[in-house]
Amino acid sequence: MVFEIRRAKNGYILKVVNTENVATEAEEIVYQEKYDDEVECFAEFLRYLNDEYGPSTSRYSEKRIHISVCPGDKFNEPAS
């Protein structure tokens, strides 16, 4: 498989080409940036890619890919 990511005006487009079966059409997956929570939206896009195209694993696997959102190491919670 060949993966190509290109920038769009409001996000990214991932093109997936199956090199093993040239008769199949290339797939295009769109990630649209949302300004209310762009970090969580991008993490969800990465989770989708992992689920659809990543290695097959489970919670019992020796190694697996886990995508999470967490605060930066220098982030200080604002006082309320």
Side-chain angles (χ1 to χ4, degrees):
M1 295 196 130
V2 174
F3 296 91
E4 174 188 314
I5 297 177
R6 65 182 187 272
R7 182 85 167 115
K9 199 171 203 173
N10 60 343
Y12 298 92
I13 299 170
L14 171 71
K15 183 177 181 179
V16 181
V17 178
N18 186 346
T19 55
E20 295 173 8
N21 185 358
V22 292
T24 58
E25 293 266 333
E27 275 186 86
E28 290 192 340
I29 296 99
V30 176
Y31 156 67
Q32 183 175 357
E33 290 176 341
K34 297 179 184 173
Y35 295 102
D36 54 333
D37 196 353
E38 66 179 311
V39 172
E40 188 58 50
C41 290
F42 192 73
E44 187 59 37
F45 178 65
L46 293 175
R47 288 182 199 109
Y48 171 80
L49 295 179
N50 186 44
D51 290 346
E52 294 296 315
Y53 303 106
S56 180
T57 62
S58 75
R59 58 193 286 192
Y60 301 103
S61 298
E62 179 182 354
K63 293 181 184 181
R64 72 177 203 168
I65 299 169
H66 178 77
I67 300 160
S68 64
V69 176
C70 58
D73 62 337
K74 302 279 186 193
F75 175 76
N76 289 320
E77 189 74 37
S80 46

